[in-house]
Amino acid sequence: MAFELLASVAAVVCLCPDDLIDSAILHFIDCKPALACVIKGHSKKVDLNFITGRLWFEAGCLMSSYRAEYVKSKCNLADGPSRNNLEVMHQLGAREVEWRFPHFS
């Protein structure tokens, strides 16, 4: 579950934060425990609270709205790239962006 949450924060902080300014984001998550953590905004696990807090902080600073919903893994567009399969992404015209590792200070 932590990796699902880290991927959420990494997408916002590292990949294309400039593209997210004043945008409305619908985030599809295929891990129900991670989704619950994002929706509630907290977890019983302290480390997950830091990750979730950073996600909501970034969403509040950058976006006009942010919402997360569940999607089955086989329907999740991120599932292929997480397994190093970019075929569908290329068909959809997705673009690759430079990775910038987030600072969690």
Side-chain angles (χ1 to χ4, degrees):
M1 181 168 86
F3 287 119
E4 292 280 343
L5 294 174
L6 282 171
S8 304
V9 174
V12 172
V13 176
C14 304
L15 299 179
C16 51
D18 295 339
D19 293 338
L20 299 177
I21 295 172
D22 203 32
S23 61
I25 299 296
L26 176 54
H27 178 189
F28 292 104
I29 301 174
D30 62 4
C31 174
K32 288 183 180 181
L35 176 64
C37 189
V38 169
I39 290 173
K40 291 188 304 184
H42 67 89
S43 170
K44 293 179 182 178
K45 305 287 185 182
V46 175
D47 57 340
L48 299 180
N49 283 329
F50 288 119
I51 301 168
T52 305
R54 179 69 187 260
L55 174 63
W56 279 109
F57 174 79
E58 295 296 339
C61 289
L62 292 173
M63 303 167 202
S64 63
S65 71
Y66 171 83
R67 188 176 84 211
E69 292 187 11
Y70 176 74
V71 63
K72 293 179 182 179
S73 288
K74 66 181 179 179
C75 299
N76 190 348
L77 290 176
D79 198 57
S82 72
R83 291 167 171 52
N84 204 27
N85 180 350
L86 301 173
E87 182 180 341
V88 173
M89 294 291 101
H90 290 294
Q91 290 173 358
L92 293 172
R95 65 183 172 94
E96 292 186 44
V97 295
E98 183 180 330
W99 173 259
R100 293 184 304 244
F101 197 76
H103 298 281
F104 288 97
S105 54

